[in-house]
Amino acid sequence: MTAHRVAAFGDLEEGVGLKVDLTDHTVAIFLVDGALFALGDRCSHAEASLSEGEIFGDEVECPRHGSGFSLSTGEALTLPATKPVPVYRVWLEQGEVFLAVDE
Ligand code: FES
């Protein structure tokens, strides 16, 4: 597991996804009600970018076909997606946003 500094906290906007490209992972980071969440950016249905999705409660809605994914577990909650997307550990440290990924 490797920690990466991926953004300043000020780069995040409440309810708006931030797409982060690391070598082997593309991750969508969300700030929702003051909490940070990080999911695999690529929708498990047809590869839309979840960082472009809208937030509804504790879900992000895929911008292409509307599947909802849990921000905390990555589970696909509504069709057409049936497979989860990965979740990542994300945290704040001295005003910087860090992400842990397997490498
Ligand atoms: S691409 Fe996301 S639900 Fe189809």
Side-chain angles (χ1 to χ4, degrees), residues 27 30-31 36 39-40 51 62 71-72 99:
V27 180
F30 299 96
L31 176 65
L36 291 170
L39 300 178
S51 61
C62 175
L71 290 170
S72 50
L99 185 67

Side-chain angles (χ1 to χ4, degrees), residues 42-50 61-69 78-81:
R42 182 181 294 175
C43 178
S44 61
H45 177 241
E47 304 192 358
S49 175
L50 293 180
E61 183 183 86
C62 175
R64 188 166 299 168
H65 305 116
S67 283
F69 290 88
T78 51
L79 295 171

Side-chain angles (χ1 to χ4, degrees), residues 6-68:
V6 292
F9 185 68
D11 295 336
L12 295 174
E13 196 175 328
E14 177 76 25
V16 178
L18 178 72
K19 184 176 178 176
V20 171
D21 275 312
L22 300 174
T23 307
D24 295 321
H25 303 265
T26 303
V27 180
I29 297 177
F30 299 96
L31 176 65
V32 179
D33 293 334
L36 291 170
F37 299 92
L39 300 178
D41 185 58
R42 182 181 294 175
C43 178
S44 61
H45 177 241
E47 304 192 358
S49 175
L50 293 180
S51 61
E52 296 172 13
E54 272 191 72
I55 298 295
F56 294 97
D58 58 358
E59 300 177 21
V60 57
E61 183 183 86
C62 175
R64 188 166 299 168
H65 305 116
S67 283

Side-chain angles (χ1 to χ4, degrees), residues 1-4 22-27 38 86-91 98-103:
M1 197 73 78
T2 306
H4 295 266
L22 300 174
T23 307
D24 295 321
H25 303 265
T26 303
V27 180
V87 292
Y88 298 87
R89 194 162 79 82
V90 61
W91 68 97
F98 286 83
L99 185 67
V101 297
D102 285 323
E103 290 183 311

Side-chain angles (χ1 to χ4, degrees), residues 82-96:
T82 57
K83 295 181 183 156
V85 294
V87 292
Y88 298 87
R89 194 162 79 82
V90 61
W91 68 97
L92 190 63
E93 204 173 294
Q94 297 182 335
E96 306 288 333

